[in-house]
Amino acid sequence: MYKSGQWDGKSLLSFPTPTEADTDVYKLRIKLTLEETFEILEATLTTAVYEESFKPLIDAMTAKVEHLQSQHFDVKPVDVYDSLVDQLYVNDGWANLMGFDMQKGFEEVHSSN
């Protein structure tokens, strides 16, 4: 399921309970995940439906993430891994549906970041 050596003593995976200093990294990742999840709604729904029904939800959720502290986290690395793989699978399904070349898109995003 995961590569040998991933618990390397350096990555956050080696220390799944974040310190206070790590919480900003965890909060950023959660906010980015929410943002990208809601972006698909914005890209597929009418502006009116998105703005009325979904934009308030992402704004509220993002605000709640900002208030998280280290004691609020109980990171389960294998469950995080499972979620990330599931997200890749769902995204690949969208890409296939739309006819997108995800490798080219990834390379473009990577080079512009």
Side-chain angles (χ1 to χ4, degrees):
M1 187 170 201
Y2 44 84
K3 292 189 320 189
S4 173
Q6 281 184 311
W7 274 269
D8 58 8
K10 300 174 198 157
S11 68
L12 291 179
L13 181 60
S14 298
F15 308 98
T17 302
T19 65
E20 197 59 46
D22 296 329
T23 58
D24 286 343
V25 174
Y26 279 84
K27 290 184 333 186
L28 173 63
R29 290 288 139 198
I30 291 171
K31 287 189 289 187
L32 290 171
T33 300
L34 288 171
E35 178 185 325
E36 296 308 325
T37 298
F38 275 79
E39 200 170 278
I40 198 72
L41 296 171
E42 186 177 15
T44 57
L45 300 173
T46 65
T47 300
V49 168
Y50 175 78
E51 292 288 330
E52 182 180 322
S53 299
F54 295 99
K55 179 106 172 60
L57 291 173
I58 190 170
D59 291 344
M61 292 170 77
T62 301
K64 288 181 185 283
V65 170
E66 249 337 286
H67 297 292
L68 294 174
Q69 298 174 354
S70 62
Q71 68 267 22
H72 297 132
F73 288 90
D74 180 20
V75 180
K76 299 161 200 72
V78 174
D79 293 343
V80 172
Y81 185 70
D82 177 64
S83 175
L84 294 172
V85 171
D86 288 347
Q87 289 174 56
L88 287 171
Y89 193 83
V90 169
N91 289 338
D92 283 347
W94 267 110
N96 287 333
L97 177 68
M98 303 300 292
F100 295 146
D101 181 337
M102 293 301 284
Q103 184 62 39
K104 286 184 181 178
F106 180 84
E107 290 167 6
E108 179 65 28
V109 169
H110 184 70
S111 69
S112 67
N113 284 336

